[in-house]
Amino acid sequence: MIPKQIKAVLQARMLHLHFSDEKMTQRVSICCCLFILFLFLSELTGFITTEVVNELYVDDPDKDSGGKIDVSLNISLPNLHCELVGLDIQDEMGRHEVGHIDNSMKIPLNNGAGCRFEGQFSINKVPGNFHVSTHSATAQPQNPDMTHVIHKLSFGDTLQVQNVHGAFNALGGADRLTSNPLASHDYILKIVPTVYEDKSGKQWYSYQYTVANKEYVAYSHTGRIIPAIWFRYDLSPITVKYTERRQPLYRFITTICAIIGGTFTVAGILDSCIFTASEAWKKIQLGKMH
């Protein structure tokens, strides 16, 4: 027979271990719920976030453009009068246009001493050039000053996209105000077709470009210096395509189910281990009391 005092102590010990098991189970359950919540929010963030993937291929992406590329040019020449500023366009298809004026605007600067030229025009998809010069002026100035600042030079559609970083306006901010006033400037452009497709399937056709430049003094056949700002371009056969993608709903649901099922499975294993250890501890305690 077990004395009453020892029996009371054993019952107290057993009750204490029982409450300890319940608390441990509750803690495991709370930890599992918090872990599931963390993983769920992580997966939800990944599901909502739009991923932009890119690919390269050889093709003409904008076949409906009629073989044309839209160009937007914004340049300031602070020391050249607006009546002297003109835009000339040439290419290998035989185009030779002097003094292009369509969709262009000249804004006087420095009380008329300078000029800001803003123009939108199209070029053929063949190697060529366009240049800002005094070639279209009725009378050529003696010492034309071609120092300039390029505010914008872009091709194709303007992409209003935050998560795509590229050289869509590589010459934006180019400052040549400290250059030789009589120097010509050559900007050699390698244009890369770029397509952006959003989640709805709508596409924008733009163009990135790399640039190299050189500065030199050019003389005409009469020996006069006639400077110009040349933009010589060639097109790359490689097209870059950016596509917006979002994780499929079925994959999101599958992942959530895997998270919940896997977490509860692991929690059950932990609870079983804790229960087994607790039972073994109870037996050890009972053995000591005996």
Side-chain angles (χ1 to χ4, degrees):
M1 295 292 293
I2 301 175
K4 292 183 178 180
Q5 292 181 347
I6 296 177
K7 189 175 182 181
V9 171
L10 286 174
Q11 289 177 346
R13 287 290 183 88
M14 294 292 290
L15 186 62
H16 175 73
L17 290 172
H18 176 70
F19 284 137
S20 298
D21 291 345
E22 287 186 350
K23 288 181 179 180
M24 184 60 67
T25 302
Q26 290 176 356
R27 289 173 182 172
V28 170
S29 299
I30 292 172
C31 289
C32 288
C33 290
L34 291 176
F35 184 66
I36 290 173
L37 180 62
F38 169 73
L39 293 180
F40 172 77
L41 293 176
S42 300
E43 285 297 322
L44 182 62
T45 302
F47 175 70
I48 295 174
T49 303
T50 300
E51 179 187 12
V52 177
V53 297
N54 62 77
E55 57 181 312
L56 303 176
Y57 58 93
V58 179
D59 194 12
D60 179 9
D62 190 8
K63 295 181 175 63
D64 298 327
S65 64
K68 303 286 187 180
I69 300 175
D70 294 328
V71 184
S72 179
L73 175 63
N74 188 331
I75 184 171
S76 291
L77 298 94
N79 301 308
L80 194 64
H81 294 279
C82 280
E83 61 267 20
L84 299 175
V85 176
L87 177 69
D88 310 325
I89 306 172
Q90 299 174 317
D91 63 33
E92 292 186 359
M93 290 183 67
R95 181 181 184 183
H96 189 179
E97 186 176 349
V98 179
H100 179 88
I101 58 174
D102 294 339
N103 298 320
S104 63
M105 179 172 53
K106 299 177 184 180
I107 304 170
L109 300 175
N110 302 333
N111 298 319
C115 186
R116 178 166 179 158
F117 178 87
E118 298 180 11
Q120 294 183 349
F121 53 96
S122 62
I123 57 176
N124 294 316
K125 291 183 177 179
V126 295
N129 73 80
F130 52 90
H131 52 277
V132 177
S133 69
T134 61
H135 298 165
S136 61
T138 54
Q140 293 297 316
Q142 289 296 322
N143 296 303
D145 187 336
M146 281 295 168
T147 55
H148 61 277
V149 176
I150 301 174
H151 306 289
K152 179 182 180 183
L153 176 60
S154 62
F155 300 86
D157 297 333
T158 300
L159 297 183
Q160 303 292 341
V161 183
Q162 295 282 339
N163 50 359
V164 173
H165 303 284
F168 296 97
N169 185 26
L171 275 174
D175 188 331
R176 300 293 182 267
L177 295 179
T178 59
S179 299
N180 180 356
L182 296 177
S184 290
H185 299 265
D186 260 16
Y187 295 101
I188 315 299
L189 313 178
K190 192 70 172 181
I191 301 175
V192 182
T194 303
V195 182
Y196 188 90
E197 182 177 325
D198 64 13
K199 296 187 295 294
S200 65
K202 184 177 180 181
Q203 292 184 336
W204 285 267
Y205 301 98
S206 187
Y207 296 83
Q208 303 182 62
Y209 61 93
T210 59
V211 59
N213 68 284
K214 63 179 179 179
E215 180 182 330
Y216 58 94
V217 177
Y219 294 88
S220 68
H221 63 280
T222 61
R224 293 182 56 187
I225 299 176
I226 305 180
I229 304 169
W230 298 81
F231 301 92
R232 307 181 192 274
Y233 61 87
D234 192 7
L235 272 77
S236 169
I238 302 297
T239 295
V240 180
K241 183 177 182 181
Y242 296 96
T243 307
E244 286 186 355
R245 290 181 184 174
R246 181 172 288 176
Q247 181 180 344
L249 180 60
Y250 73 87
R251 186 178 299 173
F252 173 71
I253 295 174
T254 302
T255 304
I256 295 302
C257 292
I259 289 173
I260 295 173
T263 302
F264 277 114
T265 300
V266 174
I269 294 173
L270 289 176
D271 187 62
S272 176
C273 292
I274 292 171
F275 177 78
T276 302
S278 176
E279 288 298 314
W281 178 254
K282 289 178 185 177
K283 290 180 181 180
I284 293 172
Q285 291 296 319
L286 287 174
K288 287 183 178 180
M289 295 300 298
H290 287 290

